[in-house]
């Protein structure tokens, strides 16, 4: 068998022979999670944002070709992910956002930006995955398991707000005042 050495094992290739015995291979994978700062947010415009922390709590394996994304729904679509460490905007390719690598026992903060087209509270399922060789072409073409996190929002720009203007500069709080709207 030929193995590629990675991470703490070094680099290059190594050949192992079993000599008639069975080989035992132990695999340590990254332990990833998506942790939103606020899972439920109030949107002030047709754009909504969530700040999330991506965490790899594994002390043995880094996550290479890490990506995050969401399948668009009829009401909401993720349009951008922003790296909060440097302000770089990550654009989709086509429905995944390529985040690079996340080392062992590390974390990184991102802002997920989405647009919506309805006035009702709604949600979107954000998915995250990693691959040893390359990024997937899309979420639908990713054949491995994903990490999932639901993010919720409520539009607040649909609420009626009244701004009362009066020519009187002093108002007596104990006196009735009539306004016509």
């Amino acid at each position: 068998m030929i193995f590629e050495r990675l991470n703490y094992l070094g680099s290059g290739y190594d050949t192992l022979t079993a000599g008639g015995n069975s080989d035992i291979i132990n695999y340590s994978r990254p332990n990833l999670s998506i942790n939103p700062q606020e899972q439920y947010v109030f949107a002030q415009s047709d754009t909504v944002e969530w700040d999330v922390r991506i965490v790899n709590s594994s002390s043995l394996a880094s996550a290479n070709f890490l990506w995050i994304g969401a399948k668009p729904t009829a009401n909401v679509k993720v349009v951008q992910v922003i790296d909060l460490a440097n302000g770089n905007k990550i654009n989709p390719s086509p429905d995944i956002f390529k985040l690079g690598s996340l080392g062992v026992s590390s974390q990184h903060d991102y802002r997920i930006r989405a647009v919506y087209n309805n006035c009702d509270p709604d949600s979107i399922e954000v998915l995250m995955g990693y691959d040893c060789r390359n990024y997937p072409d899309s979420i639908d073409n990713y054949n491995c398991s994903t990490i999932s996190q639901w993010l919720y929002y409520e539009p607040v720009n649909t609420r009626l707000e009244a701004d009362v203007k009066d020519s009187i500069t002093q108002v007596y709080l104990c006196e009735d005042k009539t306004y016509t709207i």
Side-chain angles (χ1 to χ4, degrees):
M1 292 186 158
I2 298 175
F3 295 94
E4 182 178 4
R5 285 185 250 138
L6 297 173
N7 298 327
Y8 58 89
L9 297 176
S11 61
Y13 293 93
D14 200 355
T15 305
L16 299 174
T17 56
N21 297 326
S22 298
D23 289 331
I24 298 173
I25 299 173
N26 290 321
Y27 171 70
S28 296
R29 65 177 180 83
N31 187 14
L32 300 171
S33 62
I34 306 170
N35 303 318
Q37 184 178 1
E38 297 288 335
Q39 193 171 6
Y40 196 99
V41 297
F42 295 96
Q44 302 288 331
S45 66
D46 66 344
T47 303
V48 61
E49 296 177 337
W50 298 269
D51 288 348
V52 297
R53 176 167 285 163
I54 307 297
V55 177
N56 179 10
S57 59
S58 170
S59 61
L60 297 174
S62 60
N64 298 316
F65 300 105
L66 183 65
W67 60 268
I68 195 167
K71 293 181 183 179
T73 68
N75 298 329
V76 63
K77 178 183 177 182
V78 174
V79 294
Q80 199 171 60
V81 172
I82 300 167
D83 184 335
L84 293 179
N86 56 26
N88 289 343
K89 296 175 181 168
I90 305 167
N91 293 313
S93 174
D95 58 355
I96 65 164
F97 298 83
K98 299 174 183 178
L99 304 181
S101 296
L102 187 61
V104 298
S105 302
S106 62
Q107 61 191 23
H108 204 85
D109 295 329
Y110 296 94
R111 177 166 293 141
I112 298 173
R113 183 175 287 159
V115 294
Y116 62 91
N117 61 13
N118 67 347
C119 296
D120 298 322
D122 206 343
S123 62
I124 190 162
E125 182 182 21
V126 173
L127 302 171
M128 181 175 63
Y130 66 95
D131 190 72
C132 297
R133 299 243 180 245
N134 208 343
Y135 289 104
D137 295 331
S138 68
I139 292 174
D140 289 332
N141 291 339
Y142 187 67
N143 297 325
C144 300
S145 62
T146 57
I147 294 96
S148 171
Q149 176 68 58
W150 283 92
L151 300 175
Y152 302 90
Y153 68 93
E154 181 179 342
V156 293
N157 60 344
T158 59
R159 299 177 182 166
L160 178 62
E161 294 182 20
D163 186 12
V164 179
K165 298 188 188 264
D166 194 346
S167 60
I168 300 174
T169 57
Q170 260 186 339
V171 176
Y172 299 101
L173 297 178
C174 295
E175 185 179 294
D176 291 339
K177 181 79 173 143
T178 304
Y179 294 96
T180 303
I181 299 177

